[in-house]
Amino acid sequence: MKSIVLDADRRIGGPYTLAAGLLHHLVPEALEHRPELVAAHDIELRVAAPGLREVVPVRRRSLADELPRAQRILIPGVRRSLRIANGLAEFVHEHLSRTAPLAVTVTNLAEADHTDAELVEVLRRRVGPGLLEIVEGPSAPRCGPPVADFDRFRDEGFHHAMAESGLEALRGLAYEADPERWRLLVQRVAAALEAVEREDEARELYDRARRESTDPKHRATIAYGTAMLLVRHHDPARRDPDQALAWINEAVTIAGLLPDPRERAFHLGFDLNGKALVELRRGRPEAALELVQQAIDLAERHLGDEHPVHRLVLYANRAQLLAGAGDPRQALADYTTAIGLDPGYPDYYLERGNLLNQLGRREEARADYESVMRLSPPFPEAYYNRAELRFAEGDVAGARVDLDHTLELDPEFVPAYVNRSGILVALGEHAAARLDVERGMRVESRNPYLLCVLGQVELAEGHHPEARNAFDAALELAPELAPAWAGRGELAFELGDHGSAAADLTRAIKLGETAELLFNRSVVHRAAGRPEKAREDLVRAAELAPGDYEISEALAGL
């Protein structure tokens, strides 16, 4: 086993300091023997190791890569680093499996940036000690501030680094010394603080900026940022759409007074789009749609070929609103317009695929999900959504494979635990289902869907009090959860309480009529001596599932 020593101290190279050192060791060898493997992971390698950009060929390209920085308004979200880490792990695994195992001693791991700490966790989980052994070495951190490459941090969504380095830079920079740099730093750092759920610090920075600056565009930007903070706060209890409306109106007012028509069209359209989110959170989707339409009109009238990313965001946002308003045809057209403006950006394929899936156009939805898989570093949501599609088609094995991969990519993806545990219950693998429930509840302890599956597991194993507790807890959190009513009805039937069983199954049927629920209620009616009601349920079940053998046989027996 070969061995190397790498330093993870973020003061050396900022985000992915450790990753860059590892890749500088592995990529040249991979380029010599397996250049297709390097090309397959071009995004991840170029993001993590900027020093290799000259030798790693570009295979996947987005519109933003070719635009001036001022027009790249889509900043990667905080979860993107997990996708990058998974892509790097897959590159490392594939390369080492064809060459030789590697032992890495990592010094100063405690001083690593968030990106490297996350990467080490993913490497240990996905590559394993048989191919890659990571040992923590001694710590002797360097003195001085972390590296301050703010353009890279912003472009790649390195929010933790932007927050740390930006705050450090602002401590040593007076507004009067360099007002333009100060304003730009405040905007970037506050946005980064919000992204990493440090909203109170972001608000303090916005308030400080209002005390220092009288620049109109800057004041509009920080008013916009304050409004977004108030409607997107990670703690729903601290969201305040009405206060957000006051701040976004200030941004709209200032942007509407900018003298240059093109500059005004962009900034005003950007703020109107933000106001649309505020109105949506205030329960006014029609007003939100009108605001996005105004922003689109401004862009089409004044911006020409400038700001194509701004336009594609507007069309995608209008698509979301139209879909919610019950106009899927126009929503699909808008998603297609957004994708056409930047075919290399993966997120809107995912959203269009979800809409196509809802409309029953499963092959087109599958194609969109697989476009995400092709265009992006590993994207858990794409595999999760394809799993739902496969399950609906009856491909339980394929759905399970996709859910397995979703959770390999992101062990905290709670909906995947819900769906996989449900499949496991249906397959009679109750111990495995219970394990998934426990894993999911370590992340989200009061998830009603997991509690419902837990009730199903307890019921299958004959633990009646525990099953009732689980179903009751699920229904307390989600009174409209039909499977919990159905499970509780099945439990009541097993205990001989036909009245409660019929009542619970009736509640489940009102929430979502299915042949299975009707069949189960007919069994209850028959056991309670109500054959006519049993027949009524079976007749309706036969209408919903013609040709079902069990239903036909039960009808013949009445």
Side-chain angles (χ1 to χ4, degrees):
M1 178 180 282
K2 295 189 294 185
S3 63
I4 56 174
V5 178
L6 297 174
D7 195 333
D9 194 326
R10 65 194 183 284
R11 292 167 180 81
I12 300 171
Y16 289 123
T17 294
L18 170 62
L22 179 62
L23 295 174
H24 276 270
H25 180 79
L26 299 179
V27 168
E29 186 178 32
L31 279 169
E32 184 177 351
H33 298 290
R34 297 191 64 201
E36 75 285 356
L37 177 63
V38 175
H41 296 280
D42 60 335
I43 293 175
E44 303 94 301
L45 298 176
R46 292 167 63 86
V47 166
L52 294 172
R53 282 178 171 265
E54 296 300 317
V55 298
V56 173
V58 177
R59 181 177 66 89
R60 296 167 290 184
R61 184 177 293 277
S62 175
L63 171 68
D65 299 332
E66 303 167 6
L67 292 175
R69 181 162 281 111
Q71 295 191 33
R72 303 179 203 171
I73 64 167
L74 276 173
I75 308 304
V78 74
R79 282 176 56 83
R80 185 189 185 227
S81 62
L82 179 61
R83 298 180 207 159
I84 298 297
N86 274 300
L88 294 174
E90 291 174 7
F91 167 79
V92 171
H93 184 281
E94 185 68 14
H95 177 68
L96 294 181
S97 66
R98 298 291 187 93
T99 54
L102 180 66
V104 181
T105 299
V106 181
T107 63
N108 294 315
L109 186 56
E111 301 299 325
D113 179 75
H114 166 82
T115 52
D116 276 325
E118 181 179 56
L119 175 62
V120 168
E121 187 277 326
V122 172
L123 288 171
R124 284 174 167 162
R125 177 165 51 80
R126 298 201 60 199
V127 181
L131 288 177
L132 180 68
E133 182 180 295
I134 299 177
V135 178
E136 188 169 350
S139 292
R142 287 165 171 75
C143 296
V147 174
D149 188 354
F150 295 119
D151 286 341
R152 180 186 176 222
F153 297 171
R154 184 253 192 195
D155 292 349
E156 304 296 358
F158 295 152
H159 302 291
H160 294 83
M162 177 67 81
E164 180 187 25
S165 298
L167 287 172
E168 180 70 26
L170 285 169
R171 276 190 282 272
L173 179 66
Y175 176 76
E176 297 80 7
D178 191 341
E180 185 174 349
R181 182 167 184 261
W182 190 93
R183 289 192 294 262
L184 182 61
L185 264 180
V186 164
Q187 291 164 201
R188 290 183 173 183
V189 174
L193 288 166
E194 181 187 351
V196 299
E197 301 185 1
R198 294 165 61 180
E199 288 97 335
D200 288 345
E201 293 170 81
R203 180 61 185 265
E204 288 174 10
L205 206 51
Y206 286 137
D207 290 344
R208 177 183 168 192
R210 277 186 276 271
R211 291 192 296 270
E212 296 277 4
S213 174
T214 58
D215 178 81
K217 283 192 295 184
H218 180 61
R219 291 191 69 87
T221 298
I222 60 177
Y224 171 93
T226 305
M228 294 302 99
L229 187 154
L230 288 164
V231 292
R232 297 190 303 216
H233 200 290
H234 77 278
D235 180 0
R238 297 187 62 187
R239 294 174 185 168
D240 189 341
D242 290 333
Q243 189 183 1
L245 182 64
W247 283 113
I248 198 65
N249 278 341
E250 179 171 321
V252 168
T253 301
I254 296 171
L257 297 174
L258 294 174
D260 181 82
R262 296 171 76 87
E263 189 175 47
R264 182 172 65 247
F266 170 67
H267 286 282
L268 179 57
F270 195 90
D271 293 338
L272 289 170
N273 186 50
K275 185 173 179 179
L277 175 60
V278 174
E279 293 288 23
L280 189 63
R281 293 287 170 85
R282 296 179 72 229
R284 304 183 67 220
E286 299 86 359
L289 185 58
E290 174 58 30
L291 289 162
V292 173
Q293 185 61 57
Q294 291 177 33
I296 290 174
D297 291 343
L298 283 169
E300 299 296 357
R301 191 179 308 125
H302 296 290
L303 293 183
D305 294 331
E306 283 187 48
H307 290 290
V309 175
H310 173 60
R311 289 203 300 278
L312 73 88
V313 169
L314 294 176
Y315 279 107
N317 286 356
R318 189 172 71 175
Q320 292 176 329
L321 293 167
L322 288 167
D327 189 352
R329 182 190 61 81
Q330 186 57 50
L332 283 175
D334 277 354
Y335 276 131
T336 300
T337 297
I339 289 169
L341 285 166
D342 188 359
Y345 184 68
D347 295 52
Y348 297 135
Y349 289 96
L350 190 75
E351 295 183 21
R352 187 176 69 177
N354 292 343
L355 181 56
L356 288 165
N357 196 10
Q358 292 168 20
L359 294 171
R361 295 164 62 174
R362 291 174 179 156
E363 286 306 311
E364 294 168 88
R366 182 194 300 269
D368 273 355
Y369 296 149
E370 292 174 356
S371 291
V372 176
M373 298 171 192
R374 184 180 70 254
L375 293 169
S376 171
F379 206 130
E381 288 82 353
Y383 293 93
Y384 171 80
N385 290 354
R386 190 174 69 176
E388 289 197 323
L389 187 153
R390 285 176 158 175
F391 184 80
E393 294 174 338
D395 181 8
V396 176
R400 186 170 175 179
V401 167
D402 275 347
L403 290 170
D404 289 347
H405 193 54
T406 301
L407 290 166
E408 183 180 13
L409 295 174
D410 183 1
E412 296 191 351
F413 200 112
V414 172
Y417 285 116
V418 172
N419 288 1
R420 190 171 72 176
S421 62
I423 288 175
L424 292 168
V425 167
L427 294 174
E429 299 182 31
H430 300 126
R434 184 187 292 277
L435 187 59
D436 267 1
V437 168
E438 291 170 352
R439 288 168 174 161
M441 291 181 74
R442 281 198 287 270
V443 181
E444 199 173 310
S445 61
R446 290 176 57 77
N447 183 287
Y449 302 97
L450 288 172
L451 286 164
C452 181
V453 175
L454 178 61
Q456 293 167 349
V457 171
E458 300 288 15
L459 177 59
E461 295 182 346
H463 305 148
H464 294 155
E466 293 83 357
R468 178 61 187 246
N469 289 339
F471 288 134
D472 286 351
L475 290 170
E476 182 181 348
L477 294 166
E480 306 301 300
L481 186 56
W485 288 109
R488 206 172 75 164
E490 184 180 348
L491 170 62
F493 181 71
E494 283 196 13
L495 294 174
D497 184 353
H498 298 151
S500 295
D504 283 350
L505 285 166
T506 298
R507 184 68 180 269
I509 289 166
K510 286 180 179 178
L511 292 168
E513 187 182 49
T514 68
E516 181 183 4
L517 288 173
L518 288 161
F519 181 88
N520 289 348
R521 190 172 66 176
S522 77
V523 172
V524 175
H525 285 318
R526 188 168 183 177
R530 298 188 290 265
E532 288 307 313
K533 287 189 173 292
R535 176 176 289 278
E536 288 176 13
D537 277 352
L538 288 171
V539 168
R540 177 57 181 154
E543 293 173 357
L544 294 175
D548 185 285
Y549 175 76
E550 282 191 89
I551 295 172
S552 300
E553 188 177 57
L555 270 170
L558 280 174

